[in-house]
Amino acid sequence: MSHYVVRSVDRADAETIAALREAGVATAHEAAGRGGLLGPSIQARQIGVAIGGSAITVSCHPGDNLMIHAAVEVCRPGDVLVVTTTSPSTDGMFGDLLATSLMARGVVGLVIDAGVRDIASLREMGFPVWSRAVHAQGTVKASPGSVNVPVVAAGQLVSPGDIIVADDDGVIALPAATGRTVAEAAAKRLDNEAAKREKLAAGTLGVDMYDLRPLLASLGVRYVDRLPEDGLA
């Protein structure tokens, strides 16, 4: 099997990435037709942080972070490092030293389908991570892998240059070519949600705002003041 470090990545424009970051993962996911979402096994390791950037992807041997070190060189300001392993792993493959190196390159965060360590230091440094686990288990630097090849993270295909948005709700990966269209759809959703929020705050019920009463009736849901004495029919 061949292994590569690919230097060139086609990235989306900064304005599109920023718009999707501001929209948030949940809205971007809906605007993208409910696609691109990484599974819930990858969790935010800090509260109230949102990032957006271009994916630099890494495929590693489990328990071996050699290729993460190799990936640092090809990172640019605004990138997000996305790390996977060739079989499931929770080993602590990333810590404060690698974070220091990535911050020097302008990388805005890490998404890793494995473990991280030094989590208190990472929070203090302000380097955000989304990971499968927090685990002090150490790793080695011995096995080949690849940088900037398609990978699968928590069940989602991530390609180099994909737009990564991550916040408290999770992580989404979107092809760079679709970014502007999704950002425009997300902006429309946010406007629509703002109008709905005003109605709900004024006391309008969701069943009325969404015209759900006919649906409930068609599904056989009945409104009664009390249950019948003979119980549920």
Side-chain angles (χ1 to χ4, degrees), residues 8-219:
S8 298
V9 173
D10 295 324
R11 296 167 170 84
D13 64 274
E15 289 185 2
T16 296
I17 293 172
L20 289 167
R21 183 191 67 236
E22 291 299 320
V25 170
T27 298
H29 170 57
E30 296 286 352
R34 298 186 179 180
L37 197 62
L38 275 65
S41 59
I42 294 183
Q43 297 281 319
R45 300 302 167 181
Q46 57 285 308
I47 297 173
V49 176
I51 64 169
S54 298
I56 297 297
T57 61
V58 188
S59 175
C60 295
H61 192 278
D64 192 315
N65 69 359
L66 173 65
M67 299 312 297
I68 301 179
H69 286 274
V72 175
E73 184 178 10
V74 301
C75 290
R76 295 182 185 175
D79 286 342
V80 176
L81 198 66
V82 179
V83 178
T84 65
T85 54
T86 54
S87 62
S89 176
T90 57
D91 292 349
M93 298 177 62
F94 184 96
D96 61 348
L97 293 179
L98 271 166
T100 299
S101 187
L102 288 177
M103 290 177 76
R105 305 288 293 187
V107 174
V108 298
L110 169 78
V111 175
I112 180 169
D113 198 357
V116 296
R117 55 196 289 180
D118 306 327
I119 193 68
S121 296
L122 292 173
R123 290 171 179 156
E124 184 178 353
M125 294 166 63
F127 187 80
V129 299
W130 284 255
S131 70
R132 176 178 290 274
V134 175
H135 195 188
Q137 177 65 50
T139 58
V140 299
K141 301 172 181 60
S143 306
S146 290
V147 176
N148 283 331
V149 298
V151 298
V152 175
Q156 175 62 43
L157 177 66
V158 182
S159 296
D162 277 0
I163 299 170
I164 303 295
V165 179
D167 58 23
D168 289 335
D169 287 334
V171 183
I172 189 171
L174 300 170
T178 69
R180 186 165 299 179
T181 299
V182 175
E184 291 171 353
K188 292 178 181 178
R189 289 190 65 86
L190 290 173
D191 290 341
N192 184 259
E193 289 175 1
K196 290 177 179 177
R197 192 174 293 107
E198 287 185 7
K199 291 181 180 179
L200 293 170
T204 300
L205 297 174
V207 290
D208 294 320
M209 184 173 70
Y210 294 108
D211 193 25
L212 297 177
R213 294 188 191 278
L215 174 61
L216 289 168
S218 71
L219 294 173

